[in-house]
Amino acid sequence: MASFCDHIIIPSSTVAYNFTHGNDQIWCFVLMLDVEPQYSGARIEGDVVTLDFVKKMMEDFKNQKFLHKRYAFQIVLQTREILQSLPSLVDIHVPNGKRFTVCGDVHGQFYDLLNIFELNGLPSEENPYLFNGDFVDRGSFSLEVILTLFAFKCLSPSAIYLARGNHESKSMNKIYGFEGEVRSKLNDTFVELFAEVFCFLPLAHVINEKVFVVHGGLFSVDGVKLSDIRSINRFCEPPEEGLMCEILWSDPQPLPGRGPSKRGVGLSFGPDVTEQFLQENNLDLVVRSHEVKDEGYEIEHDGKLITVFSAPNYCDQMGNKGAFIRFEAPDLKPNIVTFSAVSHPDVKPMAYANNFLRMFS
């Protein structure tokens, strides 16, 4: 995969950064804009993202202020370096007596993300989170969401885990708003940079060898092992078929067996498919997201599969609750917390979306 850094245009005033891409050492030159004296927003002193910076940045975002491009570059590029070293399936260890929180789709609803942190605490080593894809698109505060999640990843990589969703892709971002939002709030260079970093996001996580967490769902073939998922070369735009596609797009169905997807991509899979996958991989539970649910969650497949969705009143019109799941080791019994939407500034969902779609939103 060609790196964003391989084709970035280098202006005369730049700072050189030494990055590793794959196994090759490359020099990646990043535009580091001078910070104007009148800029009063959050600042990164040196190279280290601090908790004080993240808190200040979130407060600025809450007040509809932008982050300087210099610091946005630092956050996204540092996150890129963290993500590229991870496997496609990440193992998470939660010590006995400690808790772990899984959130579903956030979809650019920044003020609801702040509410999650109010209800459940900020991400930290003692309070780790997994956000299970679809951070962006639909909602019109997607840039604020992704920079906040990436900043926490820079602050403490083991305090927050991030999985790819079907909306972390060029084709979806072009249609559903994120590309237009980034272009409006930052510039075209960031559009390409985010597209590359999204290709570095892991595809799935396993918590304590018991809970399999994936954005979409399971597979069109039997016998898929965790080792097969680990070996997926994810550094690309999502394909239209195969394991990676199904991870991002599939949905459960109540009837046994498999059926066509209502989305036209991926498939629908029944409780027998879930049971077989869990048995063959010595797992207890599948957690996935990808679908809005009235209560913010739904338990299906004889209790072996939970859908969690964390964008309440989705697109300002669905009236659904949001939810997140707390697991506590060692038993990892799911404790589901639901919440309602909070108010946000009068910026409509899909405000930056494709003009044709905006007509119908």
Side-chain angles (χ1 to χ4, degrees), residues 314-329:
Y314 182 43
C315 293
D316 286 357
Q317 62 184 7
M318 297 300 291
N320 60 290
K321 292 182 179 178
F324 54 82
I325 307 175
R326 291 181 184 138
F327 293 95
E328 185 169 326

Side-chain angles (χ1 to χ4, degrees), residues 214-226:
V214 66
H215 178 73
L218 300 182
F219 309 103
S220 59
V221 295
D222 294 332
V224 175
K225 299 294 176 47
L226 296 182

Side-chain angles (χ1 to χ4, degrees), residues 122-355:
L122 293 175
S124 68
E125 299 288 340
E126 293 298 311
N127 189 37
Y129 282 79
L130 165 58
F131 283 84
N132 196 30
D134 282 13
F135 321 120
V136 302
D137 282 339
R138 304 283 192 180
S140 294
F141 303 95
S142 292
L143 182 63
E144 289 82 355
V145 166
I146 199 66
L147 287 176
T148 297
L149 297 179
F150 279 7
F152 274 113
K153 191 67 177 174
C154 296
L155 175 65
S156 180
S158 59
I160 189 166
Y161 297 84
L162 304 170
R164 192 173 192 175
N166 62 301
H167 275 266
E168 279 70 55
S169 69
K170 283 184 179 181
S171 60
M172 301 297 280
N173 297 163
K174 185 177 292 292
I175 298 170
Y176 292 103
F178 184 59
E179 180 180 308
E181 182 180 344
V182 172
R183 187 170 282 117
S184 175
K185 295 178 180 179
L186 292 170
N187 56 37
D188 288 350
T189 300
F190 277 95
V191 171
E192 294 301 316
L193 179 54
F194 276 114
E196 181 183 56
V197 176
F198 287 166
C199 292
F200 286 56
L201 287 163
L203 301 177
H205 294 75
V206 173
I207 306 171
N208 285 13
E209 301 181 338
K210 292 183 177 182
V211 180
F212 179 71
V213 188
V214 66
H215 178 73
L218 300 182
F219 309 103
S220 59
V221 295
D222 294 332
V224 175
K225 299 294 176 47
L226 296 182
S227 58
D228 297 319
I229 301 170
R230 292 184 212 281
S231 65
I232 294 173
N233 179 9
R234 71 183 188 278
F235 301 104
C236 61
E237 288 299 311
E240 295 183 2
E241 59 184 9
L243 297 186
M244 181 173 170
C245 171
E246 292 162 0
I247 280 171
L248 299 178
W249 282 96
S250 293
D251 297 293
Q253 65 180 27
L255 298 176
R258 296 177 172 92
S261 170
K262 61 190 177 186
R263 305 173 190 268
V265 187
L267 71 146
S268 297
F269 60 97
D272 55 328
V273 176
T274 298
E275 176 68 25
Q276 182 176 348
F277 175 79
L278 292 173
Q279 284 185 355
E280 291 180 347
N281 289 282
N282 197 27
L283 298 164
D284 296 339
L285 179 68
V286 173
V287 174
R288 45 88 63 178
S289 302
H290 194 40
E291 288 183 286
V292 60
K293 298 294 181 180
D294 287 344
E295 295 301 313
Y297 74 97
E298 186 173 2
I299 301 173
E300 302 173 79
H301 292 187
D302 303 315
K304 299 294 181 66
L305 183 145
I306 303 176
T307 297
V308 60
F309 192 85
S310 302
N313 194 25
Y314 182 43
C315 293
D316 286 357
Q317 62 184 7
M318 297 300 291
N320 60 290
K321 292 182 179 178
F324 54 82
I325 307 175
R326 291 181 184 138
F327 293 95
E328 185 169 326
D331 63 353
L332 296 187
K333 181 180 178 181
N335 176 21
I336 301 172
V337 178
T338 64
F339 57 94
S340 298
V342 297
S343 61
H344 63 75
D346 188 21
V347 182
K348 303 302 182 187
M350 306 283 282
Y352 301 92
N354 177 286
N355 287 337

